[in-house]
Structure formats: structure tokens, C-alpha cells
Amino acid sequence: MRWYKCELHTHTKHSDARHDLEELVDKAWNLLNLDVLAITDHNTITANNEVIANKEKYSLTFIPGIELTTFYGHIVVLGLEEYIEWRDLHRFNLEQRVEEINKCGGVVGIAHPCRVGDPISTGSYFTYHIDDYNVFDYIEVWTRMTSDEDIENKANMALWTELLNKGYRITGVYGRDWHDGGSEADENIYTLVNCPDSDKTSILQGIKRGHVQCSSGPIINIQVLKAGEWEDLYFGDEIVLNPITFKLCWDLETIKRAEKYKQAKLYVNIQSNKGSLAMIEKTDSEEPFHIDNIDGLKWIRLHTYTIENDHEKMLGFTNPIYFK
Amino acid sequence: MKTYIDAKGMLTRDCMKSQIIYQFFVDKPLDGLYISFYYYPKSTSEQQQKKMICDDYMNQYPDVFRSEYKKEIEKEQYLYNLLTLSVDDDKGFRGSYHKHWMVDEIVIEKASATKGFIAGEIKEGNWKVTISNHAILTENITYHIKVWGTCQNEMV
């Protein structure tokens, strides 16, 4: 298992991007060093033909997709090459369409659910009536190149937390919604998927299972003490131990930019359905931390921070570990 | 050359989030199908924009964040209309034009097509062009749409 750097939300000139497919792929490979790139144009799938021509040129894994850009919300579908109908959707029949997509093997996510919608960007704010969010595989929690302080990302995180507290095990990802731009100077954010291989099937399975974290630099690996032995634990998994002892391992190599944090103060805030449980600072000795009693705990999630210009800056978040 | 659709329409704000479908019958295979589509105005004026910040739009946002959403909306000097276009042949989807600017002409031919559309044979049968009214923020929008086909070897 290793962490693969993915971008799950991009556009080309087949819809409204300023870059064509070749430019996008070039930036993905040379600037962001991505392993996986999903092409998700608005309401069309015609970029797929061009993707086939580029497959041999790069070692990227391409994931075909589409962003259903509807009047009431935007929905990204990954893994299917076929066109998916959106023009007959109204506020009350999206669930049925998503179930049909699930049966065809599509992985379905809610794009930027809390982005400003009417009157700036019709449909960007998700207003569909949903009875059961289990139909969705993921939700974009961080989007674009904005920070966690941006209203859109704050509201997305609050929505995701609300869904987790209600018992939904929905994966949280980052979606760049890449229409143009991109440079080495950018503080790029990655959706990182932990899986045995970078082929399309493995990546999509990893997303569905929640083996995902999002970061602009440091990556966290976590181990749990079980019968006296340290065992790897994967975000998105469920554990049944009580009490629990964890250990964090920091990866500052996979994302190039993470090198700058090798001498910086890094810490993790352990979030849960009961609020913040603890703050753990990165040390060389990787001290274990304990949760003495998991009664009432449904999930924990790790938010990583650093201190920059005397301010706390959030660098990333993991997907939850769930408790039975 | 044969013209299948040559229409002009006016939409009011009430038409927002609706679809307009033009269906036409192609009675023999064509070398190419071409579409010209444009609408105006593209955006509101600044004065109109300020009036749009009204309770109807604000109420959709959660109470705890509403004032922040209002600030984001107020930053925009103009609000933009958005109509998009898609095409279906007898078998299904042939493409979509989803952009905030218009090209001179959309082309669907056997060997090539405008980006967003599927190249291939233009067969006889029912074809549809759908205009999707994503955003109408001015008092009204006027659109023009023209669809025509060509066949090199014989009169269409």
C-alpha cells in the first residue's frame, strides 16, 4: 500500500476550461507530480477520446469522468466513459439517478456542496433533497486553491462533520475544479489515496473505502497497538478496540513541498463526533497516544497544522477511523 | 444546405432553471450539422446587481454562515447569465456546449466535431437541440439559434 497523489476534478476545453487536455496533463505531470488524473468536464465525456491518445505519453493513471452540472447541484461521477443524463433532474429525483450510476460501477461525489450558488453561480450550492446520503461515495470538503478559512471550505467541512455525526461513512476529498492556472509556486493540495496500485480500479476502491487524506504537504500514517504489536491502520476502517493506543508516522517525502516542514512545528488535532480530543505535536520519538474510553465515540479524524507567521495554518485532514 | 431551426426567443427571469427543446427530423444522411447559438445580454449592470441581493437568494444559505455568503456575493460587480446547449441524435447524446462564451459555430461532422461534441455519421432520424437555462439574472434574455445541415453529393 502506498499513497497516490490524485486530482479528481478537472476541466478541459471540451467544456469551459482555459487549458486544453494536453496542457492540463502536462501541468498535472510536471508541476504537481500527480499519479492519477480524473477528467470531469461539465456535462460531456468527449475528452476521453483525446485521453486515449495521451495515455502512452505519460505514466499517469487517467480516470474517465463527468461533472453533472445541474440547476440544483454539481455531481462528479468517476470511472464511467458513458454520458450520464442530467437534463431531466429536479430536486427530488437525484437519488434514483445516483443509484443507477452506482449499479453501473460509477463512483459518485458531491462537488463543492457549499460553494456560493445563486445568484453568482447557479447550481454550485447543493440544494437537492436527499433522504439517504449513502448513495454518495464522497463529498468534496476542500475545493479550489482557497484555504480552510474560506467560507466554502468551512461550510463543506461543517456539512461533512454533520453527515459523519449522523452515521454516514462518506469519504471526504479535495477537488481543485481545475479550469486554468497552475505553477510550481502554488501551494497545491492533493487528494491522497492509499491503495496497493495506481490503476483505476484500485484508486476508485480506495476512495469508496475512505483510505484517503488531503494535504498540501505532510502525510500521516497511523498504527494501532493490538496484542502487543503495532499494526497499520487505514483511514476509513473501523476498529473495535477499547481502550486504544495509536502511533503517528509522518511522511514528508511523498509530496515534494513537504520538505519545507522538516524543521517546522507540526501538530495534529484529533477531531471526533465529541469535538476535539487532543493535540499531538510531531516529535522525533513518535510517542503513542491513548484514548482511554471510546464510549460514545463514532469517529475520529486528524487535522494537521503548522504555525506560519505566528498563525495557525491547516495543512490537511484525514478521513475518519470509525468505531463500532 | 438545409435549415432545420432558425428561431429567436426571449426569456424572462421566470424561465431560469428550465430547458427548451427543439426537435427536428433529418430525412437523409448529412455531411455535417452546424449550429449557431448566441444570447444577450451576458451580464447585469452594476446597479441591477445590487438589487439582486435579496432574501430569496440569502435564505438558501445556513444561518450560521449567511453573513459570510452575503459578503462573497457582494464582492461581485456583475452577475452573469448562462445558457448552455446540448445535442441528441436518434440514438442519444451527441455533445454539449457548456461555456460562458460563445463560439461562432458548432460543427458536427463525420471525421471531426467542435470540442464537447461527438464526431460521427449524421444519420437520418429525430435530432434534438436543448437549451438549458442555468442562469437568467437580467430582466430578460434574447437568444438566437440556427441549425443547418449540408450534403455534398445531392441537394438536401
Side-chain angles (χ1 to χ4, degrees):
Chain A
M1 299 278 273
R2 56 160 277 208
W3 291 101
Y4 290 99
K5 300 186 291 289
C6 308
E7 179 47 61
L8 303 178
H9 189 160
T10 71
H11 298 279
T12 73
K13 285 183 177 175
H14 287 261
S15 63
D16 64 348
R18 295 291 181 180
H19 48 223
D20 60 27
L21 176 70
E22 189 143 351
E23 285 173 282
L24 168 65
V25 174
D26 188 66
K27 286 188 285 194
W29 182 249
N30 290 314
L31 286 181
L32 268 65
N33 311 119
L34 288 174
D35 300 302
V36 178
L37 183 70
I39 310 293
T40 57
D41 274 310
H42 298 289
N43 298 334
T44 189
I45 37 72
T46 54
N48 284 327
N49 294 335
E50 279 192 54
V51 165
I52 290 162
N54 275 280
K55 261 185 179 158
E56 284 73 42
K57 201 171 162 184
Y58 299 99
S59 298
L60 277 175
T61 294
F62 287 97
I63 295 183
I66 185 172
E67 182 179 13
L68 303 183
T69 306
T70 84
F71 300 150
Y72 310 103
H74 296 190
I75 299 98
V76 175
V77 179
L78 302 176
L80 299 180
E81 292 180 357
E82 298 76 24
Y83 171 73
I84 295 164
E85 186 55 71
W86 70 273
R87 293 166 293 186
D88 59 347
L89 289 174
H90 53 72
R91 290 195 58 229
F92 300 96
N93 67 350
L94 176 65
E95 256 181 274
Q96 187 183 347
R97 183 60 42 81
V98 176
E99 280 169 358
E100 290 161 12
I101 296 168
N102 288 338
K103 284 182 190 153
C104 296
V107 172
V108 185
I110 304 174
H112 47 72
C114 300
R115 180 171 296 174
V116 175
D118 292 332
I120 300 298
S121 179
T122 296
S124 287
Y125 192 81
F126 192 82
T127 58
Y128 280 100
H129 174 86
I130 303 295
D131 284 320
D132 184 0
Y133 276 87
N134 280 317
V135 297
F136 296 105
D137 297 294
Y138 70 89
I139 177 174
E140 284 181 358
V141 177
W142 275 3
T143 75
R144 299 202 269 205
M145 294 298 292
T146 48
S147 76
D148 60 297
E149 287 301 307
D150 182 78
I151 175 59
E152 176 180 343
N153 288 342
K154 272 199 301 197
N156 289 340
M157 184 67 82
L159 172 63
W160 186 35
T161 301
E162 183 188 330
L163 292 173
L164 293 175
N165 288 345
K166 284 180 178 173
Y168 292 110
R169 296 189 178 185
I170 185 168
T171 302
V173 308
Y174 163 73
R176 189 177 177 122
D177 201 358
W178 203 351
H179 285 79
D180 59 19
S183 81
E184 276 188 354
D186 291 340
E187 189 136 340
N188 298 299
I189 304 167
Y190 297 84
T191 295
L192 299 136
V193 181
N194 201 358
C195 48
D197 206 340
S198 63
D199 61 281
K200 181 184 94 174
T201 304
S202 300
I203 293 292
L204 293 178
Q205 216 161 59
I207 292 169
K208 285 168 79 83
R209 288 175 179 167
H211 297 336
V212 173
Q213 64 182 287
C214 302
S215 178
S216 62
I219 294 172
I220 295 180
N221 291 295
I222 188 167
Q223 290 185 313
V224 65
L225 192 61
K226 214 172 171 184
E229 300 283 332
W230 288 106
E231 249 184 47
D232 287 335
L233 190 58
Y234 300 104
F235 300 113
D237 282 352
E238 178 184 275
I239 54 176
V240 295
L241 300 169
N242 189 8
I244 303 171
T245 300
F246 290 113
K247 189 169 73 166
L248 300 183
C249 313
W250 294 79
D251 171 353
L252 299 179
E253 306 288 338
T254 298
I255 296 175
K256 250 202 266 181
R257 206 179 177 88
E259 287 167 355
K260 76 172 197 175
Y261 294 110
K262 281 184 176 168
Q263 306 304 322
K265 178 174 175 174
L266 291 172
Y267 57 98
V268 152
N269 187 330
I270 305 177
Q271 290 286 327
S272 76
N273 57 297
K274 291 164 108 176
S276 175
L277 295 183
M279 301 276 274
I280 303 172
E281 192 168 333
K282 176 183 178 294
T283 62
D284 292 332
S285 58
E286 295 182 343
E287 290 294 320
F289 68 94
H290 310 277
I291 299 178
D292 292 326
N293 189 349
I294 68 161
D295 289 350
L297 268 188
K298 291 184 184 175
W299 54 268
I300 61 169
R301 187 175 73 200
L302 309 182
H303 291 193
T304 52
Y305 292 88
T306 190
I307 301 291
E308 208 165 86
N309 301 322
D310 295 326
H311 291 294
E312 185 178 81
K313 181 178 169 183
M314 189 170 171
L315 300 176
F317 59 90
T318 70
N319 266 264
I321 288 161
Y322 298 98
F323 301 93
K324 203 154 186 169
Chain B
M1 184 189 107
K2 179 174 177 175
T3 299
Y4 296 99
I5 303 285
D6 191 351
K8 182 176 172 178
M10 193 182 82
L11 308 172
T12 65
R13 232 177 262 146
D14 290 334
C15 302
M16 192 152 142
K17 301 187 204 274
S18 68
Q19 313 269 7
I20 300 168
I21 299 171
Y22 288 95
Q23 181 169 298
F24 55 96
F25 183 68
V26 172
D27 64 351
K28 52 187 72 180
L30 302 174
D31 292 325
L33 194 73
Y34 308 92
I35 303 167
S36 161
F37 173 64
Y38 58 95
Y39 60 91
Y40 52 88
K42 283 282 185 288
S43 65
T44 63
S45 68
E46 194 180 337
Q47 288 306 312
Q48 281 178 319
Q49 186 268 340
K50 297 299 181 194
K51 288 181 194 166
M52 295 295 290
I53 317 288
C54 61
D55 288 341
D56 282 348
Y57 290 120
M58 286 300 110
N59 284 341
Q60 70 182 305
Y61 301 111
D63 291 346
V64 66
F65 294 125
R66 192 166 294 159
S67 60
E68 290 187 70
Y69 276 105
K70 191 165 186 222
K71 276 187 211 157
E72 285 302 305
I73 292 167
E74 284 174 346
K75 278 182 201 171
E76 301 292 324
Q77 192 176 8
Y78 304 104
L79 301 174
Y80 292 90
N81 296 324
L82 179 64
L83 306 186
T84 65
L85 185 139
S86 48
V87 176
D88 296 81
D89 65 17
D90 227 357
K91 297 284 181 288
F93 181 74
R94 279 307 284 266
S96 169
Y97 189 89
H98 188 111
K99 294 183 206 285
H100 299 265
W101 60 92
M102 300 309 300
V103 288
D104 291 333
E105 200 172 274
I106 291 165
V107 172
I108 304 175
E109 292 171 345
K110 190 172 176 183
S112 66
T114 300
K115 284 187 198 284
F117 293 83
I118 301 169
E121 288 180 344
I122 318 295
K123 288 185 175 173
E124 57 268 71
N126 275 328
W127 284 68
K128 282 192 287 194
V129 172
T130 302
I131 299 171
S132 302
N133 303 319
H134 291 265
I136 302 174
L137 297 161
T138 50
E139 247 184 79
N140 50 60
I141 288 180
T142 300
Y143 71 86
H144 292 248
I145 182 162
K146 186 175 174 183
V147 182
W148 68 100
T150 60
C151 186
Q152 196 175 14
N153 294 329
E154 52 184 83
M155 292 290 288
V156 175

